Amino acid sequence: DIQMTQSPSSLSASVGDRVTITCRASQSISSYLNWYQQKPGKAPKLLIYAASNLQSGVPSRFSGSGSGTDFTLTISSLQPEDFATYYCQQSYSPPWTFGQGTKVEIK
Amino acid sequence: EVQLVESGGGLVQPGGSLRLSCAASGFTFSSHSMNWVRQAPGKGLEWVSYIISSSSTIYYADSVKGRFTISRDNAKNALYLQMNSLRAEDTAVYYCARVLQRPYYYMDVWGKGTTVTVSS
């Protein structure tokens, strides 16, 4: 199975900060990497698919990059509604594994 | 509006069975692959099972293989998850999600989830 490791597990940031979350795969997954945002009590929401493609309707302050084993999710200017948990997920081969999540909290 | 609505969750004893349903609307269900994903209380997301549009390809997580069965009825726009031999560790919110392949696989629409509690 492909293991996905996110870092950090949590972070504190202020509104307006630039935030970067990293995700590392245990083997190459090409660009089969997606990012989701989840708020408490809600379903996950797709942000980025295929490593760098912004899902329709998602603000442009979100961006993704990387290929192979190393990926990043960047929020260019953190907004109040961005405080949530973020998950990476590989869809290169089943089982489709998620990272453990990164909780973004208010500083 | 594209929508997925899960149902069928509840409280069940260890060793028991439960059947989850996911009703799809607002899109051509028969053209899309589907996933079940779960989230245990206070934990992260765990992919459970995948079914292709024609039902000809199915995958399971090792944690549920042999106990859970995914299926679909394209005429009814419905996805199912039959869960047998339930364990305490199956306690979770279960989400159904639409899978797109463009050509990379990703889940673009999610239901709100249904809660399964396995406890005596």
Side-chain angles (χ1 to χ4, degrees), chain A residues 7-18:
Chain A
S7 61
S9 296
S10 64
L11 65 90
S12 295
S14 300
V15 172
D17 284 353
R18 182 181 181 89

Side-chain angles (χ1 to χ4, degrees), chain B residues 6-10 20-21 36 92-96 111-116:
Chain B
E6 302 93 338
S7 61
L20 305 184
S21 298
W36 285 101
V93 176
Y94 285 73
Y95 298 100
C96 62
K112 293 184 177 181
T114 188
T115 300
V116 173

Side-chain angles (χ1 to χ4, degrees), chain A residues 11-19 78 83 103-107:
Chain A
L11 65 90
S12 295
S14 300
V15 172
D17 284 353
R18 182 181 181 89
V19 170
L78 197 65
F83 292 96
K103 187 173 184 179
V104 177
E105 298 176 302
I106 302 172
K107 181 183 279 185

Side-chain angles (χ1 to χ4, degrees), chain A residues 13-33:
Chain A
S14 300
V15 172
D17 284 353
R18 182 181 181 89
V19 170
T20 298
I21 299 169
T22 65
C23 179
R24 175 164 289 177
S26 60
Q27 66 182 73
S28 177
I29 57 171
S30 182
S31 295
Y32 286 79
L33 190 283

